[in-house]
Amino acid sequence: NKMLPDKVSEQLKPLSVPGTEDVDEEASQEDYEYRLKGFIDSTMDKSAKNRLFALVGLKTAFSSKILYDLILERRLTLTDSIERCLKKGKSEEQCAAAAVASLLCIQLGSSIESEEVFKSLRSILKTIFTDESASIQTRKANCFYCQQDLRLTMTYLESLFSALYWKEEQPEWMQNNQTTMLHISALIAWTLLLTICPPSLVTQTLEKHMSKLPTLLSCGDVNMRIAAGETMALLFELARDICEDFDYEDMELLCAQLKCLATDSNKYRAKTDRKKQRSVFRDVLRTVEKGDFDSETIAFGPERMYIDSWVKKRSYETFKEVLGSGIRLHLQANEFVRGLFELGPPPLLDAATLKATKISRVERHYYNAAVCKARTKARNKSRDKRTDIGEYI
């Protein structure tokens, strides 16, 4: 339902009276949390429409705010609600529930509570993910969550996108756009998992797929061609990290294919598709041929993060897809996300800096709460004589 996000945003908008901002700040925070509690309660509603509205509300809130304390208090209720929606709901509700599950784990970070949430939902999410009778949209929504059993999950993801390796054997159902999107999501999720694999598994994967993946560059869908090209670039990057003298057997043929895509001017393809494709494949070709990467700078508040590899780019784009416009706030204040990108603990910012970066009152409150939490955890860890100081550093 396209109207749901707008209605939810209106519900979550903080209350304020002009000229009384400082007085109303605490009241606004309490009102915001009260509305969120209402969304959590509504996920158990008998009405599917009300449950969906509540899930979209939670998705919007979890992606745009740091809500660790509130979520921690209601973790069990949230987990039960998500599981119920996944089991009882239809496609749209299941997709929203899967998204909330991912955001819930991002909010809780690398804590025991996050692991418990994952274990509670893993079985039902895996069942939906591997159920060919489930809607394609629902299975696609689960691609980025079902990643606990690394080898098993990668094998299943491979079975989805590798079906496109041999074009002449493609049945008619593979031409469906929704099915192609599922294969693209499977390839992207597989690539993301590959970035955290041990070198031995990476080497096995390279031997198995390096010569076959280029066949996906001829796919009729521009998004599949782009996903395949970015995957090839990432594979070359990983291969060279393992062996500096890595040599690809069909390098000349592959580079010719990449150059063709980087200069594609076929009129039967949409102009926007050609433009997007050429931009991506110029970068892919540069990596494959020379091992270079055109770095990108991500600004969030007063800080900067440099995307200087395909591995980091894949991780960033995954979080960006899950968090949407809230990615910058989480990069700035979410301890778990900052840890993944090696940004260190959230910095202490004075009021003038916070105001200059245009952070709202509610965001400033949650940001300061996140900083306080990170500082307290760090101090407690330092005070614990049993902690290995080398590990802490």
Side-chain angles (χ1 to χ4, degrees):
N1 192 326
K2 294 182 180 180
M3 297 297 291
L4 281 179
D6 293 335
K7 291 181 180 179
V8 166
S9 298
E10 188 63 31
Q11 285 260 12
L12 291 173
K13 190 179 294 183
L15 299 176
S16 63
V17 178
T20 61
E21 285 80 1
D22 294 334
V23 176
D24 287 343
E25 182 171 354
E26 186 174 347
S28 292
Q29 293 157 6
E30 291 178 356
D31 180 75
Y32 188 90
E33 292 186 6
Y34 176 79
R35 297 177 195 182
L36 273 179
K37 293 171 187 175
F39 282 138
I40 294 172
D41 293 338
S42 295
T43 56
M44 303 294 285
D45 199 279
K46 291 183 179 180
S47 167
K49 183 178 180 181
N50 290 343
R51 292 198 304 271
L52 178 60
F53 183 83
L55 288 168
V56 174
L58 292 174
K59 180 181 174 182
T60 300
F62 290 178
S63 63
S64 59
K65 310 291 179 187
I66 305 298
L67 301 165
Y68 179 85
D69 292 332
L70 184 145
I71 288 173
L72 191 62
E73 291 176 6
R74 293 164 178 78
R75 173 178 57 84
L76 295 177
T77 302
L78 277 165
T79 306
D80 290 343
S81 299
I82 292 169
E83 186 174 2
R84 177 187 173 90
C85 293
L86 287 168
K87 288 181 177 178
K88 305 290 186 181
K90 295 184 179 180
S91 176
E92 193 173 7
E93 183 177 340
Q94 288 179 320
C95 289
V100 173
S102 297
L103 290 165
L104 180 59
C105 288
I106 290 175
Q107 287 276 350
L108 292 173
S110 55
S111 63
I112 295 175
E113 292 80 10
S114 179
E115 183 69 20
E116 289 175 351
V117 169
F118 191 96
K119 288 179 179 178
S120 298
L121 298 176
R122 179 175 57 186
S123 178
I124 180 64
L125 286 164
K126 186 176 179 180
T127 299
I128 294 172
F129 177 54
T130 56
D131 183 6
E132 295 186 2
S133 65
S135 75
I136 290 173
Q137 293 92 335
T138 304
R139 294 173 69 196
K140 177 177 175 288
N142 280 273
C143 274
F144 295 108
Y145 195 91
C146 302
Q147 300 175 4
Q148 180 70 7
D149 302 318
L150 192 59
R151 283 180 178 271
L152 189 62
T153 304
M154 288 191 71
T155 299
Y156 184 75
L157 291 170
E158 287 173 8
S159 72
L160 291 176
F161 68 79
S162 63
L164 297 175
Y165 281 164
W166 315 116
K167 293 181 64 177
E168 65 273 16
E169 298 177 5
Q170 283 187 20
E172 291 184 4
W173 59 267
M174 286 190 180
Q175 305 302 321
N176 182 282
N177 288 335
Q178 291 295 330
T179 304
T180 301
M181 288 305 298
L182 173 63
H183 292 158
I184 293 170
S185 295
L187 177 59
I188 292 173
W190 178 83
T191 306
L192 178 66
L193 286 177
L194 193 60
T195 66
I196 61 171
C197 286
S200 58
L201 184 53
V202 172
T203 301
Q204 293 175 21
T205 303
L206 292 174
E207 293 174 353
K208 182 178 179 181
H209 291 277
M210 204 68 157
S211 61
K212 299 176 182 177
L213 271 167
T215 62
L216 299 183
L217 298 174
S218 302
C219 181
D221 187 283
V222 64
N223 293 310
M224 175 55 88
R225 293 197 299 274
I226 288 173
E230 292 180 337
T231 299
M232 286 299 298
L234 189 143
L235 290 180
F236 267 85
E237 189 174 88
L238 291 175
R240 286 166 177 157
D241 285 343
I242 295 172
C243 177
E244 291 184 6
D245 299 327
F246 171 74
D247 182 35
Y248 183 65
E249 185 176 348
D250 297 320
M251 182 65 111
E252 189 174 341
L253 181 61
L254 176 61
C255 287
Q257 192 173 9
L258 294 175
K259 285 177 184 177
C260 183
L261 291 166
T263 58
D264 188 3
S265 60
N266 289 314
K267 299 297 182 183
Y268 64 85
R269 286 175 179 158
K271 185 176 180 180
T272 53
D273 287 351
R274 295 200 308 268
K275 184 177 180 181
K276 180 168 64 171
Q277 175 183 291
R278 288 197 296 264
S279 175
V280 170
F281 277 96
R282 282 195 293 267
D283 294 336
V284 171
L285 181 61
R286 190 181 303 116
T287 297
V288 171
E289 275 191 323
K290 304 176 182 178
D292 294 338
F293 182 87
D294 191 9
S295 62
E296 177 184 357
T297 303
I298 307 297
F300 46 99
E303 296 181 272
R304 300 290 184 272
M305 178 176 74
Y306 299 99
I307 306 295
D308 54 7
S309 68
W310 286 99
V311 169
K312 200 169 184 178
K313 180 181 174 69
R314 171 49 53 217
S315 299
Y316 172 73
E317 289 185 347
T318 300
F319 275 92
K320 185 178 178 181
E321 181 178 345
V322 175
L323 293 167
S325 60
I327 180 64
R328 281 175 168 76
L329 175 68
H330 282 265
L331 283 170
Q332 189 172 7
N334 187 313
E335 185 181 357
F336 169 64
V337 176
R338 291 181 65 87
L340 287 175
F341 290 102
E342 301 179 340
L343 295 171
L348 298 174
L349 304 179
D350 56 33
T353 305
L354 287 169
K355 185 176 181 181
T357 55
K358 299 180 180 179
I359 298 176
S360 70
R361 296 191 314 278
V362 176
E363 288 176 331
R364 186 164 64 248
H365 166 75
Y366 288 117
Y367 174 80
N368 288 333
V371 171
C372 181
K373 172 177 169 286
R375 183 172 57 241
T376 301
K377 287 179 68 176
R379 286 174 177 173
N380 289 341
K381 195 170 184 180
S382 297
R383 290 169 182 156
D384 191 345
K385 294 180 180 179
R386 294 169 299 176
T387 301
D388 182 356
I389 192 65
E391 179 186 349
Y392 174 71
I393 294 173

